[in-house]
Amino acid sequence: MSVSIYTLEIIYRGIHQRHLARNLARGIVYAARMEGNAALSYQRYGDDPERDGVPAKYFVVIAKGAGSSEDVLDAEAARVEPDFVDVSIVLDDTILKGVESWAWQGIQPVHLKLRPNGLLIVVSKKNPEELLRFIPARDSPYKLVVVQGERSIGDFWTFPDDGTVERVLGAIAKVAPDVLSLDGVKRFLQSLDKPDVRVNRAVEAYQALVRLREVKPGEGIPYKYEPPHLPGYKDMMIGGAIPGLKPNQRNPLFTGGTAKHYRPVINFDKCTKCTLCWEYCPDSVFDPTPDGYFNPALAYCKGCGICAEVCPVPDTIIMVDELEFEDGYGKFIDEYRMWKENREGYRKWFESLLPKAQIISARKR
């Protein structure tokens, strides 16, 4: 009896992409089953309930070969998450800047679970070279695969049926035919509504929308992941007190800044010091400065955009896509310091971001 096990993870934005991730996981499982294999999917326990924008995960396990059955997968389904995956699928390219689950275990590299020579598949409009500027280097090689497409964002109730599921299925069939064949993908999509449209989307991705780049050890940005120490029950105190936080005080042990795909950028030259951003921010991100301005601590920002909504002066707080900035992994720029050190340079930088922010403002309205 010879059974081959393939494990895939799907990393997505909590709430915003929950239906997308679920439908993709279901599609992989059904396509694999229609090829005669055993397959199942499950969600990481630590991400349930999901939080707004927080990176979350689905896992899919496929068993192939003589003797593959549901029993083979039982051990996998009983785990919180697998130790390693063959394929990692990232549905929002800004997640490349780190995975920080709400059950905090530090800021993890997006490919932490990927086996050597595994596949990192990313939905993005950028090319592999551009995305490598946001991905930490690692000691083993892997393949970076880009599925060309817009970021697909929904909400708690709605699913934008925009073809992302079909394109990713087509991409898997293209770069990992041992895991999923194009025939299996087609068979699954033909069982849904609008079968011709869905199959065409998958075939289009299979033929033309996938870019692959071999990534060598050491390529990428420098970042060393230090897993936090999780005490066992013998290490814990019999009793203790957890100090509470004061109003507008942040928890220094939990940042959560990887939950955002947009960030606020402040035009301090136009700021009237009205305090509304500071008052309305649900994460107490804004720090008062000695001269009365409010500086965002971006490591704590979740990118909700409330500050930009309540700001009474147009284009004073704008929301800009995270991939416009190469900082991250716990180290973010200090906008107020940049402004104080070089006001003219900061003004030009802010103006260069305005056209991109206007698109986001239109989306929010």
Side-chain angles (χ1 to χ4, degrees):
M1 181 174 69
S2 176
V3 179
S4 298
I5 302 289
Y6 298 96
T7 305
L8 301 85
E9 69 174 349
I10 301 169
I11 311 176
Y12 64 100
R13 290 279 178 210
I15 304 298
H16 305 304
Q17 296 183 314
R18 65 195 307 260
H19 299 290
L20 172 64
R22 182 198 60 199
N23 289 342
L24 177 59
R26 183 165 55 188
I28 297 171
V29 169
Y30 273 70
R33 285 177 173 269
M34 288 178 175
E35 292 184 285
N37 304 304
L40 60 78
S41 70
Y42 62 100
Q43 199 172 12
R44 186 167 68 179
Y45 177 76
D47 294 320
D48 190 13
E50 296 176 8
R51 303 293 176 88
D52 215 24
V54 173
K57 294 186 179 184
Y58 264 97
F59 298 101
V60 178
V61 186
I62 301 172
K64 290 189 166 188
S68 61
S69 67
E70 304 298 328
D71 294 339
V72 176
L73 303 178
D74 280 350
E76 296 293 336
R79 309 176 67 174
V80 175
E81 61 179 61
D83 294 332
F84 299 100
V85 299
D86 301 287
V87 180
S88 183
I89 302 164
V90 181
L91 296 179
D92 177 350
D93 53 8
T94 60
I95 293 178
L96 297 177
K97 300 183 82 169
V99 177
E100 196 174 11
S101 74
W102 74 273
W104 199 75
Q105 297 183 17
I107 302 175
Q108 301 174 348
V110 69
H111 47 35
L112 182 67
K113 299 286 183 180
L114 196 63
R115 293 184 191 278
N117 297 309
L119 291 159
L120 177 62
I121 299 177
V122 185
V123 178
S124 180
K125 292 179 67 178
K126 297 185 179 297
N127 61 48
E129 294 292 341
E130 293 174 308
L131 294 183
L132 262 182
R133 295 182 301 166
F134 306 102
I135 305 174
R138 49 183 276 161
D139 296 334
S140 57
Y142 67 97
K143 298 178 181 66
L144 175 59
V145 180
V146 174
V147 184
Q148 288 293 309
E150 296 277 356
R151 187 180 303 151
S152 179
I153 299 294
D155 57 34
F156 191 87
W157 301 108
T158 62
F159 164 58
D161 189 7
D162 54 13
T164 300
V165 169
E166 293 87 343
R167 286 197 297 274
V168 174
L169 288 174
I172 297 172
K174 177 72 174 183
V175 299
D178 291 343
V179 177
L180 214 59
S181 75
L182 185 59
D183 285 342
V185 170
K186 286 180 177 178
R187 206 175 305 168
F188 163 65
L189 296 176
Q190 285 165 347
S191 70
L192 305 179
D193 65 327
K194 299 181 286 186
D196 293 341
V197 173
R198 298 186 188 281
V199 169
N200 288 339
R201 288 169 174 170
V203 172
E204 182 187 22
Y206 182 90
Q207 294 176 337
L209 297 181
V210 178
R211 296 180 185 178
L212 185 147
R213 184 192 190 281
E214 304 268 357
V215 182
K216 299 176 182 176
E219 282 193 288
I221 63 173
Y223 176 71
K224 183 173 176 54
Y225 174 57
E226 298 288 351
H229 171 65
L230 302 178
Y233 76 94
K234 292 182 179 179
D235 303 321
M236 295 183 181
M237 296 180 291
I238 296 176
I242 300 174
L245 298 176
K246 299 176 181 178
N248 290 316
Q249 182 184 9
R250 297 184 294 264
N251 183 348
L253 301 179
F254 180 70
T255 51
T258 63
K260 62 181 179 296
H261 45 229
Y262 299 113
R263 72 167 60 175
V265 183
I266 315 300
N267 185 345
F268 294 99
D269 289 324
K270 295 179 69 175
C271 175
T272 62
K273 307 178 184 178
C274 71
T275 77
L276 288 178
C277 58
W278 175 76
E279 291 182 26
Y280 278 83
C281 177
D283 295 294
S284 301
V285 162
F286 287 87
D287 292 326
T289 68
D291 47 358
Y293 295 99
F294 296 92
N295 188 30
L298 296 169
Y300 294 87
C301 176
K302 309 297 189 299
C304 67
I306 290 176
C307 54
E309 295 280 357
V310 300
C311 180
V313 184
D315 293 339
T316 298
I317 301 179
I318 58 176
M319 300 299 293
V320 181
D321 192 295
E322 262 299 300
L323 292 193
E324 293 296 326
F325 313 93
E326 294 189 10
D327 57 358
Y329 279 92
K331 296 180 180 178
F332 290 92
I333 60 174
D334 184 324
E335 295 180 8
Y336 175 73
R337 176 180 292 181
M338 289 172 59
W339 176 67
K340 292 290 283 187
E341 291 178 350
N342 183 355
R343 295 195 179 195
E344 181 59 19
Y346 187 91
R347 182 184 63 77
K348 291 180 179 177
W349 175 69
F350 184 90
E351 289 178 352
S352 73
L353 296 173
L354 263 175
K356 298 149 186 166
Q358 287 170 348
I359 297 172
I360 297 169
S361 297
R363 179 185 68 84
K364 293 180 73 63
R365 282 197 295 270

